[in-house]
Amino acid sequence: MSIQRTGNRPAQILLVEDNDNDAELTRISFSKVKFAVNLSHVENGEECMAFLRKQGKYTDAPDPDLILLDLNMPRMGGQEVLREIAADPNLRRLPVIILTTSDAHKDVLDAYNLRCSSYIVKPIDFENFSKVIKGIAEYWFTLVVLPTEPRV
Amino acid sequence: MLVFLYSFCDADYALPQSKLPMNNTPEMPSWAATAVVTTVLAAAYFIAGKLALLLAIPPGYATAVWPSSGIALAGLLLYGYRCWPGVWVGSFLVNLGIAFDASSAQALASSLAVAGGIAGGAALQAGASAWLVKRWVGFPSPLTRADDVLRFFALGALAGCLVNATIGPLVLLVAGTLPAANWLNTAFTWWVGDVIGILTFAPLVLIALGKPRALWRKRIAGVALPLVAVFAVMTVWFGYTSALEDGAQRSRFEERARTIADAVEGQSERHLEVLNSFVMLFEIHQQISRADFAAFAEQALARHSNIRAREWIPRVQDSKRAAFEREARRHVDPGYHIREGQAGGLVAAATRTEYFPVYYVAPTTDNLSALGFDLGSEAVRAAALQRARTSRQTAASSRLVLVQERHQGYGVLVVAPVWGSRAPASELLGYAAAVFQIDDLFAAAIKLAATEGIAVRLIDESASADDQLLLGTAGAQAGTDASPMRWSHHIAMADRTWRIEFAPTPQYLSAQDTTRPWTAFTLGLLFTGLLGIGLLVQSGHVAATEEAVAERTAALADANARLAERERFLRLVFEASPSAMIMVDGNGRIVMANAQTEILFGYTGSELVGQPIEMLMPERYRSKHVILRDKFGGAQSARTTGVGQDLYGLRKDGSEFPVEIGLNPVRTDKGRFVVSAIVDISERKQAKALRQAVEALERSNLDLQRFAYIASHDLQTPMRNIASFAGLLRDTYADKLDPQANDWIRRIVESIKQLQILIRDLLDYSRVDSQAHPFELLPMRSLVEDAKRLLESAIRNSAAEVSCGELPALMGDRSQLVQLMLNLIGNAIKYRGGAPPRIHVSAERQGGEWRFAVRDNGIGIAPKYHEKIFDIFQRLHDQRVYPGTGIGLALCRRVVHRHGGNIRVESEVGQGSTFYFTIPASTETEL
């Protein structure tokens, strides 16, 4: 068992997903994972930016260690969010994982061009989906040094 | 002969040669030909020279024209320097003819040398002139340019003739034939003669023989004939004036001679008269004393001092001799005897019957020795005495050498018989005699003649041939005298007939003023020569002009031909234009219409021309068009009408068709016209409609595809959700639910799986065209390998063997073709029978495409389904036995169609299947 690098606090994950069901499945998947995770969920891009900037109702929002971003969202889509995050000097450090159904090459390129950290296609069935979530957690919380790690 | 001569003209080598004239230029004609030419040249030179001498003015060497020099120059120019011997020989012969004197060896040698020297000069002159011409004018030259002609003559004639004009007279001077004083004059004359010879005759020879023949030949009429004509006229005129001059000369001469003859005759008559008066004196007085005689004689002599002696010759009979002598010694002279001549002296006369002694003689002083001389003792005198006695007339003797003998020359005794008057006129008393010394008698006249240079001869015709010459002055020659000017006159001397002959001496001849005709002739010939030059220049100019004109004409003809050609071409273009072209005048009438117009509108050309253009459009446009036409008339530039509009043309049969018209105004000097091109655009319109339909179809197709894509894509999410939650439900709550619920959940999950596959296949099918990639060259073999890799587990599980034969490379979409192979091979594996699948992929070239075959040993397909299986969602089997959506083959067909090929199957149930599909071969698909 790997040691969670976030130490004695749970990992803060921001899920940006417009589909409620997908959000639920994601939550379930994270719950099965052996890491302490606090999953925040916003439904669209504007909410995401507000959350990150601790605006409006998100004044007390925690700093996310990881952002899971869907692409196809109404009003403000994933690419726009990425752009905004990259443009913001305070936010650009945050790792963003695109988690989407689209495997279109163009979407992939665009996302990486906008400096996302990873691009993951949501598997169709739940079993694989759980595995993906598990993999994400293991990678990002044990292997990788997060920019938001507490400094010892 | 002329043709022969032409061929040897070395006139093809136009480079002037700066060699000395004596060098032989190495050339092709044979030496035999050269010899012929040389001989001809010599002959021509000689003949021309001889003819020219006929025109010579004495003395001998000077002629106003020397054609031979023109012939010589032309000859050397045409045939080369090597012909110079011809000139030498010709000149030698001519000059020899003039100067030949075989009287002595020295004279012979001299005349040969003179002739040779002059000939040398002539040859040198010809050579030098030729060289000058070749150097400064160039030969052969057609002499068409004025400065060429002038230089030719300036150098060839004026300069070149200085050669022989110097050498010739010099030779004569050295030989002594020409006095030094005359040298310059003679040289000048020669020079003029040669120059004029060249001026008049060189052109003639060149015209006859020069090359280029065509050009020189033209000059026959324009130059040669006038030149010859003028020359002939000049010659004739000269001959005429010469003859006139000759005649005048002759008249003058005759006049002089006559004058002198008259003087002589007059004198002799007077002398005879004196004699007669003597006779009368004696007849009257019968006896005259010496003093009387002397006085009378004195008187007579005073008037006629040139009578040598006057004598009284009494007849003395022998019987009376002594008495006579005694008488004479008393009255006349103390030493008087009757004497006779003997051995150069006078002795007492021998005894004869009669004596005729000189009794009285006057003038006494000179004639003393004659006293007593018996005239009868000398034959000639006695003959005269006898004749006078017989004829009873005065008689003259033939010539005598006088006793008195102080002068050279002859004398004549004239005796007149004196008859006694008492007797019946039969008794001869004696003779009155006069002795004429011919020289003295006619001294004055002869001196006169001499001063004028007229030679005189006095002939006693009555005497025998040997005694005929009484008097001959210097320069007078007997008989065959070359001079044609001779004149003679008969003088009666008593009973004899004398003839006095006059002939001009060379001095007389040379003193004649012959310069006038000569000058005139020279000027005339000079004029001829200049005429020659002028005609040459003019003909050259004409030739040059003609050449220019010919060139221009040819160029014009050429240009015209090209123009005509072009016109024909343009006409062709107009007629053959694939568009209908019509030309319309300012009034809207059709002026020209091409073939396509006729075809398009169904009229013939004649039906169109002259008609208003509106006849070709539907009624409804006509009035408007008229207005527009008027307006357009003012336009300057082209316009296209009918584009985007509905413009229609009207055919003869009444049908209409859509047209596009291009208009262009043209301005010609005949007025304003409009050229229009009319194109039938009905096809274009149809094509456009068709294209639009196709575009619409394509658009809708695309829309459908996009729709299919989006639809399938958007279906994924809820489907995933359903599957996930159903799965969660199954996993999480399996033990909390009853078997029924679990069973239903299981069915839900499986249905979802199926739905997902269906949606995925539908997505793939819809993507064939929308997610199409541009074609690239693909090796089919590697595509098959890709498909095999993707089917790896299926192949392993079924123990399938997939083999392939030689597969080509062709243009296609990689992913789609991989999908194609995947589907076909996958099907072959899936629809297997009991045996492990044996699958073979092969390709065969058929014309412009490749036919691929995928053969399997599967379950096979009944023929009635061979079409159906390619339809979308068509399945022949139960999902549980052979899973699948039924989209696979439809997809394959779509892919194959996209690549421009076809797909079909050959199969029987239980006999496996072979799927054939074609794809165009790569080289042919590229455009």
Side-chain angles (χ1 to χ4, degrees):
Chain A
M1 182 174 114
S2 315
I3 302 178
Q4 187 169 339
R5 290 179 68 93
T6 52
N8 49 3
R9 67 165 172 85
Q12 296 288 342
I13 299 177
L14 175 62
L15 175 67
V16 188
E17 169 67 63
D18 64 330
N19 187 296
D20 190 49
N21 293 325
D22 273 334
E24 179 58 27
L25 288 169
T26 311
R27 195 172 294 117
I28 295 171
S29 301
F30 268 114
S31 67
K32 296 201 168 151
V33 153
K34 303 232 173 23
F35 296 101
V37 168
N38 183 24
L39 190 70
S40 310
H41 171 236
V42 290
E43 288 191 352
N44 56 53
E46 289 96 336
E47 299 282 297
C48 168
M49 296 322 295
F51 184 97
L52 290 171
R53 287 178 181 135
K54 300 189 183 20
Q55 292 165 346
K57 58 182 182 207
Y58 299 109
T59 2
D60 295 325
D63 296 323
D65 297 305
L66 195 64
I67 303 172
L68 298 174
L69 182 59
D70 187 20
L71 283 182
N72 296 323
M73 291 184 293
R75 288 205 295 277
M76 196 176 180
Q79 288 93 344
E80 266 200 75
V81 171
L82 266 181
R83 221 174 268 123
E84 284 228 22
I85 290 173
D88 192 321
N90 294 323
L91 304 173
R92 67 151 76 101
R93 68 191 69 168
L94 301 173
V96 178
I97 298 169
I98 306 293
L99 194 63
T100 185
T101 51
S102 167
D103 62 351
H105 191 58
K106 180 180 187 304
D107 291 333
V108 174
L109 274 183
D110 286 346
Y112 277 112
N113 278 335
L114 292 167
R115 308 308 295 138
C116 71
S117 305
S118 326
Y119 189 104
I120 297 172
V121 177
K122 285 188 225 179
I124 294 173
D125 64 299
F126 181 69
E127 196 177 319
N128 288 324
F129 185 72
S130 299
K131 285 195 184 129
V132 164
I133 295 296
K134 187 159 177 249
I136 289 173
E138 279 192 2
Y139 178 78
W140 283 98
F141 301 142
T142 61
L143 207 62
V144 162
V145 178
L146 291 168
T148 44
E149 267 182 24
R151 289 326 223 139
V152 175
Chain B
M1 184 62 181
L2 278 179
V3 174
F4 184 64
L5 283 175
Y6 290 161
S7 57
F8 298 116
C9 255
D10 59 344
D12 292 329
Y13 318 105
L15 293 174
Q17 300 175 12
S18 56
K19 297 183 193 171
L20 287 177
M22 293 309 173
N23 281 355
N24 286 333
T25 53
E27 230 92 53
M28 287 79 69
S30 68
W31 286 105
T34 311
V36 169
V37 170
T38 308
T39 313
V40 170
L41 185 61
Y45 194 102
F46 178 72
I47 292 169
K50 276 296 184 197
L51 290 174
L53 284 175
L54 293 179
L55 295 167
I57 289 108
Y61 285 105
T63 61
V65 58
W66 193 241
S68 302
S69 44
I71 293 171
L73 174 61
L76 287 204
L77 281 175
L78 290 171
Y79 300 105
Y81 298 120
R82 64 182 171 281
C83 296
W84 71 265
V87 178
W88 192 89
V89 168
S91 173
F92 180 75
L93 291 175
V94 168
N95 284 304
L96 202 60
I98 301 170
F100 190 69
D101 183 2
S103 58
S104 71
Q106 186 193 12
L108 182 66
S110 169
S111 55
L112 286 174
V114 162
I118 295 175
L124 188 65
Q125 171 175 295
S129 303
W131 178 79
L132 282 172
V133 168
K134 283 196 182 189
R135 175 84 176 80
W136 295 104
V137 179
F139 205 83
S141 163
L143 297 179
T144 47
R145 295 195 347 244
D147 56 332
D148 274 353
V149 175
L150 290 174
R151 243 181 296 162
F152 178 88
F153 286 114
L155 296 168
L158 297 179
C161 291
L162 290 173
V163 173
N164 207 18
T166 318
I167 293 179
L170 207 61
V171 168
L172 290 174
L173 191 68
V174 165
T177 321
L178 186 67
N182 287 353
W183 183 83
L184 199 63
N185 202 27
T186 309
F188 178 70
T189 314
W190 278 52
W191 183 77
V192 170
D194 277 352
V195 164
I196 296 182
I198 292 178
L199 282 183
T200 41
F201 281 83
L204 293 178
V205 177
L206 289 175
I207 288 172
L209 300 173
K211 283 189 181 163
R213 269 325 294 151
L215 190 124
W216 285 107
R217 200 197 316 260
K218 284 195 200 135
R219 285 168 153 164
I220 291 177
V223 180
L225 286 182
L227 207 55
V228 167
V230 171
F231 181 76
V233 164
M234 287 296 168
T235 311
V236 166
W237 179 58
F238 170 71
Y240 176 66
T241 48
S242 261
L244 277 184
E245 190 64 23
D246 264 358
Q249 239 183 50
R250 176 183 291 284
S251 311
R252 273 197 304 278
F253 179 76
E254 274 185 18
E255 197 203 308
R256 296 308 309 145
R258 189 180 295 277
T259 311
I260 296 167
D262 281 350
V264 166
E265 194 170 26
Q267 263 195 350
S268 64
E269 274 175 12
R270 274 193 297 279
H271 293 326
L272 290 177
E273 262 182 35
V274 168
L275 198 63
N276 284 337
S277 63
F278 254 121
V279 166
M280 272 195 290
L281 182 70
F282 274 106
E283 280 186 350
I284 291 168
H285 290 281
Q286 297 290 317
Q287 288 275 359
I288 295 268
S289 71
R290 186 160 165 261
D292 288 337
F293 178 82
F296 190 78
E298 191 95 25
Q299 233 181 6
L301 283 171
R303 273 183 286 151
H304 308 283
S305 57
N306 43 13
I307 295 180
R308 185 75 184 81
R310 292 231 155 78
E311 298 169 344
W312 163 245
I313 316 292
R315 182 169 72 112
V316 178
Q317 287 163 327
D318 186 41
S319 55
K320 304 228 171 91
R321 177 178 175 177
F324 173 78
E325 282 179 340
R326 273 197 304 280
E327 195 65 35
R329 274 199 282 274
R330 212 166 353 129
H331 290 121
V332 176
D333 182 83
Y336 194 95
H337 288 285
I338 297 182
R339 293 180 289 188
E340 65 185 28
Q342 192 173 340
L346 289 172
V347 299
T351 309
R352 283 186 281 275
T353 321
E354 307 176 304
Y355 306 92
F356 292 95
V358 177
Y359 192 68
Y360 289 139
V361 66
T364 345
T365 43
D366 296 330
N367 296 309
L368 272 175
S369 54
L371 279 176
F373 179 67
D374 177 16
L375 294 180
S377 66
E378 195 271 316
V380 174
R381 291 173 176 83
L385 292 179
Q386 189 55 44
R387 276 202 303 278
R389 189 175 189 171
T390 313
S391 66
R392 299 173 86 90
Q393 303 278 0
T394 315
S397 71
S398 59
R399 68 180 187 193
L400 299 166
V401 177
L402 292 180
V403 169
Q404 289 86 334
E405 220 183 294
R406 259 200 302 140
H407 303 280
Q408 297 282 10
Y410 300 107
V412 162
L413 180 70
V414 181
V415 293
V418 174
W419 302 92
S421 58
R422 284 189 233 111
S426 61
E427 190 181 316
L428 181 69
L429 287 181
Y431 295 94
V435 178
F436 299 142
Q437 180 88 22
I438 305 292
D439 291 348
D440 279 349
L441 189 60
F442 303 120
I446 282 153
K447 192 148 72 151
L448 183 60
T451 52
E452 290 185 9
I454 299 176
V456 182
R457 276 192 348 148
L458 198 54
I459 304 283
D460 184 355
E461 279 188 353
S462 311
S464 60
D466 294 334
D467 297 329
Q468 273 192 351
L469 182 67
L470 295 172
L471 176 75
T473 59
Q477 289 157 2
T480 55
D481 193 356
S483 168
M485 267 195 299
R486 302 183 61 187
W487 188 77
S488 58
H489 182 66
H490 287 115
I491 296 176
M493 177 55 68
D495 64 336
R496 307 186 82 87
T497 307
W498 282 1
R499 188 175 81 239
I500 184 164
E501 290 178 353
F502 297 91
T505 56
Q507 284 93 297
Y508 177 81
L509 291 175
S510 60
Q512 293 306 302
D513 182 17
T514 55
T515 57
R516 192 153 42 96
W518 188 85
T519 313
F521 190 45
T522 307
L523 287 176
L525 291 173
L526 197 66
F527 165 74
T528 312
L530 292 174
L531 179 70
I533 293 179
L535 288 175
L536 272 177
V537 168
Q538 191 243 3
S539 67
H541 187 66
V542 165
T545 311
E546 270 181 13
E547 212 181 289
V549 165
E551 260 180 44
R552 186 68 69 76
T553 312
L556 258 167
D558 208 24
N560 273 346
R562 266 184 279 126
L563 256 162
E565 181 74 36
R566 199 140 162 279
E567 204 185 297
R568 249 180 292 133
F569 179 72
L570 288 171
R571 179 109 268 178
L572 200 69
V573 168
F574 180 76
E575 276 302 314
S577 168
S579 314
M581 295 185 76
I582 302 181
M583 189 160 183
V584 170
D585 69 7
N587 297 324
R589 304 240 157 218
I590 296 174
V591 171
M592 261 200 306
N594 74 346
Q596 187 63 23
T597 314
E598 294 175 24
I599 294 169
L600 206 58
F601 287 93
Y603 292 99
T604 64
S606 49
E607 286 171 333
L608 289 170
V609 172
Q611 299 301 321
I613 184 75
E614 278 81 24
M615 80 187 259
L616 296 176
M617 54 185 76
E619 286 242 18
R620 55 189 185 278
Y621 297 138
R622 287 187 188 166
S623 46
K624 196 161 129 205
H625 186 263
V626 173
I627 299 168
L628 279 173
R629 193 166 33 76
D630 284 334
K631 272 211 295 194
F632 183 70
Q636 297 304 312
S637 58
R639 264 192 66 205
T640 313
T641 65
V643 177
Q645 295 173 24
D646 281 324
L647 228 77
Y648 287 89
L650 182 67
R651 290 203 191 89
K652 184 175 182 182
D653 61 7
S655 60
E656 295 184 3
F657 60 101
V659 290
E660 186 179 282
I661 303 176
L663 300 168
N664 209 356
V666 286
R667 261 214 135 88
T668 68
D669 46 357
K670 293 208 189 92
R672 246 185 291 152
F673 293 86
V674 174
V675 176
S676 56
I678 301 167
V679 178
D680 179 351
I681 57 172
S682 34
E683 267 182 36
R684 201 201 298 175
K685 279 204 163 177
Q686 275 174 14
K688 196 156 160 212
L690 206 67
R691 209 175 30 254
Q692 281 170 345
V694 165
E695 272 167 22
L697 269 169
E698 277 182 0
R699 256 198 312 278
S700 86
N701 211 21
L702 215 61
D703 282 344
L704 279 167
Q705 281 172 21
R706 287 205 62 221
F707 172 74
Y709 175 78
I710 291 168
S712 4
H713 201 266
D714 286 348
L715 286 171
Q716 296 264 1
T717 308
M719 243 176 23
R720 202 168 14 87
N721 292 156
I722 297 170
S724 302
F725 283 112
L728 269 171
L729 204 60
R730 182 194 55 205
D731 294 340
T732 319
Y733 295 101
D735 48 347
K736 295 198 176 70
L737 289 170
D738 65 358
Q740 175 88 283
N742 284 332
D743 180 54
W744 290 350
I745 289 173
R746 184 186 57 78
R747 286 179 197 274
I748 291 171
V749 168
E750 277 183 22
S751 299
I752 296 296
K753 276 201 173 63
Q754 186 140 351
L755 188 62
Q756 279 176 334
I757 294 169
L758 201 65
I759 300 274
R760 184 200 64 207
D761 283 353
L762 200 63
L763 205 61
D764 283 345
Y765 181 80
S766 73
R767 274 181 185 171
V768 169
D769 287 329
S770 65
Q771 279 202 5
H773 301 118
F775 283 10
E776 50 180 340
L777 198 63
L778 304 163
M780 285 306 285
R781 197 191 185 84
S782 78
L783 264 63
V784 172
E785 296 299 322
D786 286 349
K788 275 168 75 176
R789 227 176 294 121
L790 286 167
L791 291 165
E792 202 183 303
S793 56
I795 291 170
R796 209 171 345 103
N797 292 343
S798 63
E801 275 176 32
V802 183
S803 59
C804 47
E806 196 69 39
L807 298 179
L810 38 74
M811 298 292 286
D813 183 329
R814 191 188 185 94
S815 56
Q816 288 180 359
L817 288 178
V818 170
Q819 184 77 47
L820 172 69
M821 296 316 298
L822 192 66
N823 284 2
L824 289 176
I825 299 172
N827 278 359
I829 297 171
K830 183 157 58 174
Y831 293 101
R832 62 184 178 277
R838 295 284 174 269
I839 303 162
H840 185 69
V841 182
S842 60
E844 193 185 311
R845 182 73 182 247
Q846 280 190 342
E849 48 187 25
W850 287 97
R851 194 187 71 166
F852 291 83
V854 179
R855 194 183 69 238
D856 67 53
N857 59 347
I859 57 173
I861 308 164
K864 60 181 173 188
Y865 299 126
H866 287 183
E867 287 295 319
K868 210 159 149 226
I869 52 172
F870 291 103
D871 288 340
I872 192 168
F873 293 139
Q874 291 297 315
R875 301 200 71 246
L876 303 176
H877 300 283
D878 195 326
Q879 184 69 257
R880 280 168 294 187
V881 182
Y882 296 107
T885 55
I887 248 183
L889 286 174
L891 187 70
C892 290
R893 186 165 68 176
R894 253 204 108 108
V895 168
V896 168
H897 280 182
R898 184 171 174 254
H899 284 72
N902 291 302
I903 188 166
R904 65 183 177 86
V905 66
E906 272 178 22
S907 180
E908 293 287 342
V909 174
Q911 309 232 350
S913 316
T914 308
F915 280 85
Y916 296 101
F917 66 92
T918 58
I919 296 185
S922 63
T923 48
E924 262 109 315
T925 48
E926 290 175 279
L927 283 167

